[in-house]
Amino acid sequence: MRFSNLCGAKGSSINGLVAEADSQKLFLCANTLNRAAATVTLAMSIVFFISGFAKLFGVPMFHVPFTLMNLPTGFGYFIGLMEVIGALGLCLRDYRVLSASGLLAIMMGAIYFHFNYEAAINALPALSLSAGLFLVIKLDEIIERLVQFQRQLALSRSAFK
C-alpha cells in the first residue's frame, strides 16, 4: 500500500515522494497507526504473558496438549518460557518482529494440535492469535515506512527552501 493512499496525502510525486503532502495529516496518520500498533501489541503481549506463566506454573489445563502429543513434560515449560520471553519482546520495538515471528511458530504448533487432536473449531483462538501476530508485524512495517517517508518529506522540503 502506498503512503499517499494510506494517509490521504495529495500532490504530485517526485522521486517517490509526495511534494505537497499535508504535514498535519501525515502526523495524525502516524499517531493513529502508532496507537493501533500499541493497542494490538499490548493485547497480544498480555495474552501470551498469561498463557506462558500458566504453563510455567504447571496449570494442568495448559499441559494437557503436550501430554496428548506424547511430548516430554519439560517441553510445556519450555514453551511457557518462550511465550513469556516473546510477550516481553513484543513490548520492545527492536525485538517486536522477531518475537512475533517466534510466537507465530508456537501458534502453528497449537493449530496443529487442535486440528489433529481435537475438533477443528477449537483452533479458532490460536488462529485469531496468529492473525493478531501477523497484524503486529505488518503494523510495525507500515509505521517504519511512514516514519521514513516523513523524514524524506522533511528533507525534500528543507532542500527546496
Side-chain angles (χ1 to χ4, degrees):
M1 176 179 281
R2 301 190 75 84
F3 294 114
S4 58
N5 296 341
L6 178 67
C7 295
K10 296 178 183 168
S12 59
S13 179
I14 301 173
N15 293 332
L17 294 176
V18 177
E20 297 176 15
D22 183 7
S23 299
Q24 187 68 19
K25 195 177 253 187
L26 282 174
F27 176 77
L28 181 63
C29 180
N31 195 21
T32 303
L33 284 174
N34 274 329
R35 286 183 181 183
T39 303
V40 171
T41 302
L42 180 64
M44 299 303 295
S45 186
I46 289 170
V47 168
F48 282 105
F49 197 74
I50 291 170
S51 173
F53 265 114
K55 288 179 182 85
L56 284 176
F57 287 126
V59 176
M61 180 180 92
F62 287 90
H63 283 274
V64 168
F66 304 108
T67 305
L68 289 175
M69 291 189 288
N70 293 323
L71 293 170
T73 306
F75 192 72
Y77 292 101
F78 172 75
I79 293 296
L81 179 64
M82 292 299 104
E83 285 181 356
V84 169
I85 291 171
L88 294 174
L90 285 176
C91 297
L92 302 172
R93 185 132 180 90
D94 292 338
Y95 299 105
R96 185 169 296 145
V97 173
L98 180 64
S99 296
S101 300
L103 290 170
L104 267 172
I106 292 171
M107 286 296 93
M108 293 304 109
I111 292 167
Y112 168 82
F113 167 76
H114 290 298
F115 273 109
N116 290 304
Y117 292 90
E118 292 185 340
I121 193 76
N122 293 339
L124 284 179
L127 288 167
S128 299
L129 288 172
S130 296
L133 289 168
F134 277 119
L135 183 62
V136 165
I137 292 170
K138 193 61 180 172
L139 280 172
D140 190 70
E141 176 187 330
I142 290 171
I143 289 169
E144 183 62 34
R145 286 186 183 175
L146 185 58
V147 167
Q148 288 175 355
F149 178 73
Q150 286 177 318
R151 287 181 187 147
Q152 289 176 347
L153 183 62
L155 286 174
S156 68
R157 283 186 178 173
S158 66
F160 289 114
K161 286 185 179 184

